[in-house]
Amino acid sequence: CRQVAEQVDAGQKLQIYEELATKDMLTKLYNRNAYDEWIKVNRQPKKAKIVVFDLNNLKQCNDTMGHAAGDAYIQNAAGIILHVFGNCGNCYRIGGDEFAIIMVEMTSDLKYTIEKKIKAVNEELGTENENIPAVSLSVGVAFSDRENPGANIFKDADKALYYVKENGRNGCKF
């Protein structure tokens, strides 16, 4: 019995360690390690879409309301992103205030579907309250398909995101 109990305990520890290695503890989304591993395994996916989000005003939130409010701001954004995009692919927190969704199976019109999802995110962003400011996101999108098979979607999505950030924020670029 003791040996079985030790094996169960070891199995539970292994499961916890695996979760710590691939999940962000604040948001419960996949973390940067899991994202980097996906990229390593799928360097040039033939059919993939990536949506990259960057939270606007996190520094301001931390500086004026404190880090607990900043954490709540991040968690609120993660919850919205997961709610809207969770059934489309894997959701990752890839940096302090950056998120990514990698989608490999989308059969409908890509641009229309993603625009509809981003509109849904914007509708769920909520309003400011005394403890957490309203979430504000900048978005970059890139994809690979038959017409664009060798694209580096990861760099392309980042370029699109930073174009939005440099041109007023709160937008989306494909």
Side-chain angles (χ1 to χ4, degrees):
C1 274
R2 191 169 85 173
Q3 186 178 15
V4 170
E6 288 173 2
Q7 287 175 343
V8 167
D9 188 44
Q12 289 172 336
K13 285 180 183 176
L14 178 62
Q15 184 178 7
I16 290 168
Y17 294 147
E18 285 175 357
E19 186 171 332
L20 288 171
T22 61
K23 293 283 182 140
D24 175 63
M25 293 297 105
L26 181 64
T27 63
K28 305 303 181 212
L29 300 180
Y30 288 108
N31 64 17
R32 182 63 185 242
N33 292 337
Y35 177 79
D36 288 343
E37 183 62 25
W38 194 93
I39 291 172
K40 187 173 141 185
V41 171
N42 301 280
R43 286 200 185 275
Q44 288 190 332
K46 291 181 181 173
K47 272 187 140 178
K49 294 86 181 156
I50 185 168
V51 181
V52 181
F53 297 91
D54 188 89
L55 296 180
N56 300 319
N57 308 320
L58 178 62
K59 180 176 177 6
Q60 179 186 7
C61 177
N62 281 332
D63 290 350
T64 60
M65 302 174 114
H67 289 278
D71 286 351
Y73 186 73
I74 291 167
Q75 289 171 319
N76 191 21
I80 292 167
I81 291 167
L82 183 61
H83 178 256
V84 173
F85 280 94
N87 65 344
C88 298
N90 289 334
C91 299
Y92 302 85
R93 180 177 178 208
I94 58 173
D97 64 349
E98 291 187 359
F99 300 86
I101 293 88
I102 297 175
M103 299 169 278
V104 291
E105 295 294 327
M106 285 184 69
T107 56
S108 61
D109 178 41
L110 167 72
K111 190 170 182 181
Y112 173 77
T113 301
I114 291 178
E115 284 175 345
K116 193 168 131 181
K117 294 276 186 190
I118 290 170
K119 183 178 179 187
V121 167
N122 286 325
E123 288 171 359
E124 286 198 32
L125 290 179
T127 58
E128 194 165 327
N129 67 44
E130 63 187 52
N131 299 317
I132 309 168
V135 174
S136 169
L137 299 167
S138 296
V139 184
V141 181
F143 57 93
S144 63
D145 59 17
R146 280 182 247 136
E147 291 84 40
N148 200 19
N152 187 331
I153 61 172
F154 313 105
K155 286 184 182 177
D156 292 348
D158 273 344
K159 283 182 193 174
L161 171 68
Y162 284 98
Y163 175 85
V164 171
K165 298 265 312 170
E166 290 171 1
N167 290 282
R169 301 180 178 195
N170 296 323
C172 175
K173 179 164 175 34
F174 283 79

